[in-house]
Amino acid sequence: MNKDNNSLSQSLKISLIIPVIKKDIPKFIFLIKNLHFNIDYVIEIIAVVSGFDELLNKDIFNDLNTIIEGKLNLIFKKELLYPGAARNIGLKLSKGNYIAFLDVNTIPNSNWLEISKNLISTKSDGFLGKTTYYFTNSFEKLFIASTFGFKPLYTIPGSLIKKELFLEIGLFLPLTRSGEDSDWIKRS
């Protein structure tokens, strides 16, 4: 890597945004525990937890801060938010100049952000993630085959994008349950 690319790589400050709904908190905890070395490449992880009520004990998140070195910023919302609305909140609160996205059903490779950071510093202001869908039973296999197919798809989860570029394209549709990422990808 030449000197200019090395200085660009050093100036990348990545905020990771993860939308979480209350029923998926166990999946979120599993995701955080499986980020491995990806944690080293972020300055913060913003998790917007929606559908959260006071009856749920926030202490279930306490052990996560030791795993992720105090980088976790939990935002609790009582109302149930769609992924786009939750991502928009995270974007507005983010401190990084680059934004990475995951969701609770996306477990990245252990070196995802290292590879992403190297690609950004040498080639572009961002790129979309590629998601491969896996099945655990015959119904899921049929569903995946009839909707997505078995080729990896470009998705928001797994993406790393310059925040300035993201804001230029515009925020996610906040009132769309699914497809807000496809809409954003078409606008980019």
Side-chain angles (χ1 to χ4, degrees), residues 30 38 51 75 132 134 143 145 161 168-169 177:
F30 180 80
N38 291 302
I75 309 300
T132 301
Y134 293 98
F143 182 79
I161 302 164
E168 184 180 308
I169 293 168
R177 186 185 182 294

Side-chain angles (χ1 to χ4, degrees), residues 32-67:
I32 295 298
K33 290 180 177 179
N34 285 281
L35 284 177
H36 303 293
F37 300 114
N38 291 302
I39 293 167
D40 297 339
Y41 294 93
V42 298
I43 62 167
E44 64 183 343
I45 298 172
I46 301 172
V48 180
V49 183
S50 71
F52 191 86
D53 57 46
E54 288 76 30
L55 299 175
L56 186 62
N57 187 349
K58 291 182 183 179
D59 292 340
I60 61 174
F61 299 104
N62 286 348
D63 66 330
L64 293 182
N65 257 329
T66 57
I67 294 169

Side-chain angles (χ1 to χ4, degrees), residues 64-150:
L64 293 182
N65 257 329
T66 57
I67 294 169
I68 55 176
E69 304 159 7
K71 296 178 181 180
L72 183 59
N73 181 5
L74 292 164
I75 309 300
F76 296 101
K77 296 292 182 179
K78 193 171 195 167
E79 67 274 14
L80 190 60
L81 300 173
Y82 292 134
R87 287 187 190 112
N88 290 344
I89 290 169
L91 276 160
K92 291 174 184 173
L93 296 173
S94 65
K95 297 174 184 141
N97 58 352
Y98 278 80
I99 307 297
F101 295 99
L102 287 177
D103 65 26
V104 296
N105 293 309
T106 306
I107 307 297
N109 292 334
S110 63
N111 61 346
W112 159 60
L113 281 174
E114 177 184 19
I115 292 168
S116 299
K117 193 171 182 176
N118 289 337
L119 288 171
I120 290 289
S121 65
T122 60
K123 295 192 179 179
S124 69
D125 286 339
F127 56 87
L128 296 171
K130 271 188 149 179
T131 300
T132 301
Y133 295 91
Y134 293 98
F135 55 88
T136 58
N137 58 50
S138 58
F139 174 77
E140 288 177 358
K141 180 179 180 181
L142 182 62
F143 182 79
I144 291 168
S146 64
T147 54
F148 309 115
F150 295 106

